[in-house]
Amino acid sequence: MGYITLPRRLFLWCMALIYMVAFVSLYLQIPGLYGNDGLLPARWQLRYSGKALWEQLLSSPTLLWLAPRLGLDTQTAMELLCLLGAALSLAASLLESLRDSLVFLFLWIIYLSMYQVGQVFLYFQWDSLLLETGFLCVLIAPVTSLGGWRAGREHDPVTFWLARWLLFRLMFASGVVKLTSRCPTWWGLTALTYHYETQCIPTPLAWFAHQLPVWWHKLSVVATFVIEIAAPFLFLSPLRRLRLGAFYMQVLLQVLIILSGNYNFFNLLTLTMCLSLLDDQHIYFWLRKKYTPTPNRGSSLWWWAGFVVEIAVWALIGFGTVTLFDLQINWDKGTVSSRTAFTFHQFNQFLKTVTFPSVWLGVLSLTWELVSAMFRCACVEGFFKRFLGTVQWTVFGAAAVSMFAISLVPFTYIEYDSNGSVWPGVRQGYDAVSRYQLVNSYGLFRRMTGVGGRPEVVIEGSMDKVTWTEIEFMYKPGNLSAPPSVITPHQPRLDWQMWFAALGTHTHSPWFTSLMYRLLQGKTDVIELIQSDVSQYPFHQQPPMYLRAHRYKYWFTKTLADGSYPQRWWRRVYIEEFYPTVHLGDTFLESMLSQHGLKDKSIPRRVSEAAVPQAVRWVRSQVRGVSAPLLLWSLLFCSITLCLLRGQQLEITLKTKPTAAKAEPKPTATPHHTEAKEANSNDKDGLGQRPEERKEVDAEEDERSGEDNESEREDNDVRD
């Protein structure tokens, strides 16, 4: 694999932005979800039993145990941690010197602290994925904050490979579970005829996608299986063009999902992991800049051999797709017919055949990266630098091997026999760290829900038990005439749980009883989860006396016979009562609160008047009522714009800089080498070197050749 300096930097920059989005989105919902008057107060998860702090941290690793020692209640501590995480990740997105291993460690600890008390509202696969990817950032990012010292770069491809392995596990498992679940819509290739209208929060484009013909939906399902099951094996290929092809296949899938559905930061996080498939040469291609590769010592025979293998791989994927899904073109009608031409037993045998070979493929790929990194360490000139590089290679190589080993336990969950064959020592290691969410199992859209219509819970309130008014949520479907929302990358966690609640009874979602109780009490924090502008809430002046909930089934409307668009986006049919009519003091309501342990008898901590709690409350007062998607879009736009302007300013500075220094004769100088020195002398991106240190590095680089081209290229790429 080529140099990965630019993809690694871009990966860390994207991760900083995603962390910022995750923290800000969660921060805005903390009072309604986890506050003292919220749906599931977080302080219930932190029962102080007199144990030592260390024992508490071991049982539940969260910084919130420190809140009482700092004079903070749990809600204030959560808000403070989210604000610190958002501010630090925003700063890291703007300053490369803060995209540091220790900074990412702190961000990971903060999000893990939230996860530990988040209960059902934080138990989504993308939250686990963010924690796992965030921990990988600790290994991938350099250490620039310790006295200006930069970690050696010989081991970077090894740690960056872990992101590629995680992407493989995510995509392959997501494709496999669709078939192992025996869901008839996935096996019948009809899943997308339901998906667009039954997903949690569709976008307006989902309505138009839903109108596409059935044959196109079935062909799209075939493409999904190819991208999620076949293409991931190309992630581990040593051939560059195969990885690039797999990269663009994943990008296509993720972009289409973003356009048709609101899945918060999940697809952005997946796209970020896809950067591990790229190299510097391809980033230069995007930037339309000249790339100076390392001289190729291989023969043309190897190039042609690789080219033949690539053609064979793509031909095999194409032939397998046509055969396994019986693709046939109807030229008269202009359609493509498709069907699943294999059985569940055959697929299960295939899964047993490929699961462990895929593990060994990962072993070979990781071994190649380790050996290549070891060779680079051995070629470093100077005993001390060679020794330091070897130590770093040993430490980070051992960390990479350990992460790979424990990831085999959740990865092999997709096949029972393979999971039972995992070495017991690896399983013990996984059990020891499972509470920290270092590695997880994945499998999105296992079964297609809402085949007979999209179930939706509609809450109604009344003052007299005669006239009922529907309580409309900001984002989830409710009003038949309201267009679907576009809220990515924000995740309204209550709206998402309302979607899950509609799939079962209210007893399967205990928090729903708490929601009814808080709305009867008129708690503003909970109301703001439904309508950030409280004036839009129908009972903002006085809480309703009575509440009830009904279950409906929703469908997208269809285009009219003349091809025109209908006036409404949705149509619905009443199904049944979801929650009976209740009021404060109602016997049924009280019994449900007691049954689910939602009646808290403990007294909340007294509001502190110290400086820190007051500052946290002031920040809350400034964002109250602000639209969450608008705030996130504004932060993203500003941070990206500032980064672009900063890069443009550096580019102009480099172009207008006097070129006298370039004219100095140097025996080993090349145009690319000279630009590298220029970029290094104008290092305003905070690589952590003092001027005298830069001179020493420059002098050493002038004496180097061959292996030091990577370091020179990294310095040259600062301006990009």
Side-chain angles (χ1 to χ4, degrees), residues 399-685:
V401 170
S402 300
M403 290 294 295
F404 172 76
I406 62 175
S407 71
L408 299 181
V409 177
F411 170 65
T412 53
Y413 284 159
I414 59 177
E415 207 283 303
Y416 179 80
D417 292 338
S418 299
N419 183 257
S421 302
V422 174
W423 185 44
V426 172
R427 194 179 301 276
Q428 292 175 3
Y430 169 76
D431 293 338
V433 300
S434 59
R435 72 184 68 180
Y436 304 109
Q437 302 297 309
L438 299 185
V439 292
N440 300 277
S441 60
Y442 303 100
L444 298 169
F445 303 108
R446 183 186 301 268
R447 300 187 65 87
M448 192 55 57
T449 59
V451 174
R454 172 198 181 96
E456 271 307 333
V457 173
V458 176
I459 302 176
E460 298 176 344
S462 175
M463 302 300 296
D464 55 10
K465 218 174 181 179
V466 176
T467 303
W468 294 88
T469 303
E470 291 189 8
I471 297 177
E472 184 178 349
F473 284 65
M474 284 184 290
Y475 309 119
K476 82 178 191 69
N479 187 337
L480 302 180
S481 301
S485 305
V486 178
I487 59 173
T488 300
H490 174 58
Q491 182 184 1
R493 296 181 181 270
L494 177 58
D495 292 63
W496 268 86
Q497 285 300 330
M498 288 289 291
W499 182 76
F500 284 107
L503 301 177
T505 64
H506 69 83
T507 56
H508 294 157
S509 304
W511 57 267
F512 190 85
T513 295
S514 181
L515 173 62
M516 301 289 278
Y517 181 58
R518 296 304 190 191
L519 292 180
L520 287 170
Q521 291 179 318
K523 297 299 183 181
T524 303
D525 290 340
V526 175
I527 293 173
E528 288 182 343
L529 295 176
I530 298 174
Q531 290 289 343
S532 58
D533 183 1
V534 178
S535 63
Q536 299 297 316
Y537 181 69
F539 300 99
H540 64 277
Q541 294 182 341
Q542 182 180 355
M545 296 294 296
Y546 303 93
L547 282 179
R548 68 184 184 187
H550 291 153
R551 194 198 321 263
Y552 289 82
K553 283 196 174 181
Y554 278 63
W555 295 268
F556 271 143
T557 54
K558 298 183 180 298
T559 53
L560 303 179
D562 59 358
S564 60
Y565 299 132
Q567 295 182 347
R568 292 182 173 183
W569 293 82
W570 300 93
R571 61 184 180 89
R572 74 181 185 183
V573 172
Y574 174 81
I575 301 300
E576 61 186 348
E577 179 184 77
F578 182 79
Y579 204 91
T581 302
V582 292
H583 56 84
L584 289 178
D586 183 85
T587 304
F588 176 80
L589 179 62
E590 293 293 325
S591 64
M592 294 304 297
L593 290 172
S594 300
Q595 177 180 333
H596 298 307
L598 297 172
K599 297 195 69 172
D600 186 28
K601 298 180 181 180
S602 62
I603 301 176
R605 189 180 183 87
R606 184 177 60 85
V607 177
S608 174
E609 298 299 329
V612 173
Q614 284 187 342
V616 173
R617 289 196 294 270
W618 179 83
V619 174
R620 171 62 60 184
S621 67
Q622 300 304 304
V623 300
R624 189 174 292 276
V626 175
S627 169
L630 180 60
L631 178 59
L632 290 174
W633 294 335
S634 300
L635 288 172
L636 285 174
F637 176 79
C638 291
S639 59
I640 294 174
T641 301
L642 287 174
C643 288
L644 292 177
L645 291 176
R646 194 160 173 265
Q648 187 68 23
Q649 181 182 13
L650 183 58
E651 184 77 16
I652 294 174
T653 302
L654 292 173
K655 287 181 178 180
T656 57
K657 177 180 172 61
T659 58
K662 293 184 181 181
E664 297 179 6
K666 293 184 180 180
T668 59
T670 64
H672 181 80
H673 182 85
T674 304
E675 291 174 5
K677 295 298 174 289
E678 206 174 36
N680 196 41
S681 63
N682 288 276
D683 184 5
K684 301 209 172 39
D685 245 359

Side-chain angles (χ1 to χ4, degrees), residues 33-45:
L33 296 178
Y34 305 116
N36 294 327
D37 294 327
L39 299 180
L40 297 175
R43 58 190 174 89
W44 296 355
Q45 302 298 308

Side-chain angles (χ1 to χ4, degrees), residues 54-111:
W54 182 249
E55 294 180 350
Q56 292 173 331
L57 290 173
L58 285 178
S59 63
S60 179
T62 172
L63 295 178
L64 295 175
W65 289 114
L66 302 174
R69 300 170 184 266
L70 301 176
L72 304 174
D73 62 8
T74 304
Q75 177 183 342
T76 303
M78 290 186 71
E79 293 187 16
L80 178 61
L81 286 177
C82 273
L83 288 174
L84 289 175
L88 188 56
S89 54
L90 176 60
S93 69
L94 298 176
L95 300 173
E96 187 175 17
S97 59
L98 289 179
R99 287 168 225 156
D100 174 83
S101 180
L102 297 180
V103 171
F104 278 108
L105 176 61
F106 187 55
L107 293 174
W108 177 78
I109 290 174
I110 294 177
Y111 205 80

Side-chain angles (χ1 to χ4, degrees), residues 170-189 191-192 195 220-221 224-229 253 257 266 342 344 347 351 414 442-448:
L170 171 68
M171 300 310 301
F172 184 67
S174 296
V176 164
V177 297
K178 292 176 175 59
L179 294 176
T180 55
S181 67
R182 299 195 181 191
C183 176
T185 63
W186 287 115
W187 279 92
L189 306 181
L192 291 184
H195 165 73
S220 299
V221 173
T224 300
F225 284 137
V226 173
I227 294 174
E228 292 187 344
I229 297 179
L253 176 63
I257 294 176
F266 166 65
F342 54 90
F344 176 80
F347 179 76
L351 196 57
I414 59 177
Y442 303 100
L444 298 169
F445 303 108
R446 183 186 301 268
R447 300 187 65 87
M448 192 55 57

Side-chain angles (χ1 to χ4, degrees), residues 284-359:
Y284 268 87
F285 171 75
W286 285 353
L287 299 174
R288 295 296 187 267
K289 291 181 178 292
K290 183 179 179 181
Y291 178 76
T292 307
T294 302
N296 186 11
R297 300 183 178 90
S299 64
S300 60
L301 179 62
W302 286 109
W303 187 91
W304 280 107
F307 180 75
V308 171
V309 171
E310 292 165 359
I311 296 298
V313 168
W314 292 119
L316 179 62
I317 292 177
F319 175 77
T321 302
V322 172
T323 303
L324 294 175
F325 295 100
D326 194 20
L327 300 184
Q328 297 181 6
I329 301 177
N330 188 324
W331 298 103
D332 296 332
K333 297 182 179 180
T335 62
V336 178
S337 64
S338 57
R339 67 178 183 87
T340 306
F342 54 90
T343 65
F344 176 80
H345 175 72
Q346 290 172 328
F347 179 76
N348 201 35
Q349 287 299 119
F350 160 80
L351 196 57
K352 289 182 179 181
T353 304
V354 303
T355 300
F356 250 101
S358 65
V359 171

